[in-house]
Amino acid sequence: MNLFGLSGHQRVDSLIQQAEEYRPSVVVCSDQERAGQYRFPELAGVRFQTGNQPLVELAQHPEVDTVLAAIVGRAGLESTWSAIEAGKTVALANKETLVMAGSRVMQMASQTGARILPVDSEHSAIFQAMQSGRAGEVRRVLLTASGGPFRDFDSEQLQSVTVEQALSHPTWKMGKKITVDSATMMNKALEIIEARWLFGLEPDQIDVIIHPQSIVHSLVEFKDSSVVAQMGPPDMKLPIQYALTYPERVAGPAPRLNFQEGICLEMEPADLDRFPALQLGFEVATVGGTSGAVLNAANESAVSAFLEKKISFCNIVTACRDVLNQHEFESDPSLEKLVSMDVWARKEISKWIA
Ligand code: MG
């Protein structure tokens, strides 16, 4: 495996350090302002670039066969799209591309022959479990959710959640945006939509189950009622590796489960009343069209506003619901339309907060 290109946004120190260690041909820092504060080292054979356009060029470069798309949020759309357009194998960690434009993206992948392999741990688990049967033999999939830090909070306790509380996830160490998404369960809502497009499932074939230990990463139930689960410690090394080595399994750095310590697995149904984000996920997975782009943008904006302490925790989902209800729905939007709906939804969230 040869690393051809590498990109980063704000963590320029880390980007430079990895460039020095791995010497890829291209290194892109997409945050131009941030990049301006650094002096990039002179490394033989390494070209440093800044801005968003180089990301698109990198994802389509003829020497690249696999693109690991791990930019968070809507910012990952153009480069992921261009990799799919160019027929690359895409190891997809950026769920928002499928949330925003799932129908278009899957259509494009089937036209260009691009293969999309999930890196999101739940979807990697489903993908792995699905290999126990054929596509037509799947009855339903069960996405597991840790339940986040507020799994046992009642509606009243949820009203007074602080930013600090929301940022302390019990089992997974992740970036701020996705940690807040886990606390509201919006992350699971986005994953419902992601699973719907990625695996071509009907929304009623998708269920969410609360599993606090985050050891079972998701399950597939087949027509004969056999349920196949994929397990491992909560760690992203395996899902990333599997997407990069598929269909091979090779020894790697992923941690192993320790059965000597004893393992306890709890599972319980998800509460859609306390966590209404899940209702939004099922709704958007059902109606499709422009609704995914609107929900995703509204949520990204609302989460930023929450982190800046401009809105309360519960209002993240309330604001998303209101903006989703207000939007002018279109069932088969172009990519341009989806991008314009994204801009619209962000403005609506600003108005909602004001
Ligand atoms: Mg996930």
Side-chain angles (χ1 to χ4, degrees), residues 93 119-121 172-174 233-241 254-255:
V119 170
D120 203 349
S121 60
W172 288 96
K173 276 204 189 333
M174 306 173 288
D235 186 285
M236 288 307 296
K237 291 184 193 80
L238 179 73
I240 296 167
Q241 174 178 307

Side-chain angles (χ1 to χ4, degrees), residues 95 120-123 178 187-188 191 194 236:
K95 65 191 79 181
D120 203 349
S121 60
E122 294 81 355
H123 303 72
I178 189 169
N187 183 51
K188 214 47 57 179
E191 289 180 354
E194 182 186 8
M236 288 307 296

Side-chain angles (χ1 to χ4, degrees), residues 34-315:
R34 191 90 161 192
Q37 301 164 9
Y38 286 81
R39 263 184 78 128
F40 293 111
E42 297 281 339
L43 300 173
V46 183
R47 187 157 44 105
F48 283 92
Q49 295 178 294
T50 61
N52 283 315
Q53 187 53 32
L55 288 178
V56 170
E57 288 160 17
L58 176 57
Q60 291 193 320
H61 197 284
E63 279 189 49
V64 168
D65 50 32
T66 301
V67 176
L68 174 64
I71 296 173
V72 73
R74 181 254 172 273
L77 178 68
E78 280 84 2
S79 50
T80 308
W81 176 265
S82 62
I84 293 166
E85 209 173 20
K88 309 292 187 193
T89 294
V90 178
L92 188 67
N94 170 278
K95 65 191 79 181
E96 290 86 349
T97 293
L98 285 177
V99 171
M100 285 183 73
S103 161
R104 289 269 160 212
V105 166
M106 296 314 286
Q107 247 172 32
M108 175 59 81
S110 72
Q111 279 166 20
T112 64
R115 189 160 67 172
I116 303 177
L117 300 171
V119 170
D120 203 349
S121 60
E122 294 81 355
H123 303 72
S124 174
I126 292 168
F127 182 60
Q128 292 178 59
M130 274 189 171
Q131 289 162 51
S132 294
R134 299 195 182 99
E137 295 167 349
V138 172
R139 181 182 284 153
R140 62 172 177 157
V141 303
L142 294 119
L143 285 165
T144 52
S146 70
F150 313 129
R151 178 168 54 95
D152 299 321
F153 278 34
D154 61 29
S155 306
E156 202 176 312
Q157 288 171 303
L158 285 171
Q159 294 291 335
S160 55
V161 159
T162 65
V163 170
E164 291 69 28
Q165 283 175 307
L167 287 179
S168 58
H169 194 275
T171 49
W172 288 96
K173 276 204 189 333
M174 306 173 288
K176 280 186 185 176
K177 194 260 177 185
I178 189 169
T179 304
V180 175
D181 284 349
S182 296
T184 57
M185 301 271 286
M186 187 62 88
N187 183 51
K188 214 47 57 179
L190 302 180
E191 289 180 354
I192 293 167
I193 304 162
E194 182 186 8
R196 185 250 181 280
W197 296 115
L198 190 59
F199 301 114
L201 297 164
E202 293 302 321
D204 65 4
Q205 289 180 286
I206 304 170
D207 266 325
V208 173
I209 193 126
I210 303 296
H211 168 48
Q213 291 82 15
S214 302
I215 287 173
V216 174
H217 298 307
S218 278
L219 314 94
V220 175
E221 183 183 310
F222 291 93
K223 275 185 176 165
D224 59 2
S225 303
S226 173
V227 177
V228 178
Q230 190 268 333
M231 294 165 65
D235 186 285
M236 288 307 296
K237 291 184 193 80
L238 179 73
I240 296 167
Q241 174 178 307
Y242 189 66
L244 294 177
T245 65
Y246 174 82
E248 312 291 332
R249 286 191 184 272
V250 300
R256 297 171 66 186
L257 278 179
N258 184 349
F259 289 88
Q260 293 307 317
E261 279 175 2
I263 292 174
C264 163
L265 303 176
E266 291 169 274
M267 293 189 194
E268 61 188 43
D271 185 343
L272 275 66
D273 293 324
R274 274 187 310 134
F275 294 99
L278 293 173
Q279 298 171 23
L280 295 181
F282 282 114
E283 263 177 56
V284 168
T286 305
V287 301
T290 41
S291 64
V294 169
L295 176 64
N296 180 61
N299 180 55
E300 281 189 27
S301 269
V303 168
S304 299
F306 168 70
L307 289 171
E308 291 162 21
K309 305 191 176 178
K310 288 181 188 160
I311 59 168
S312 72
F313 179 75
C314 288
N315 273 343

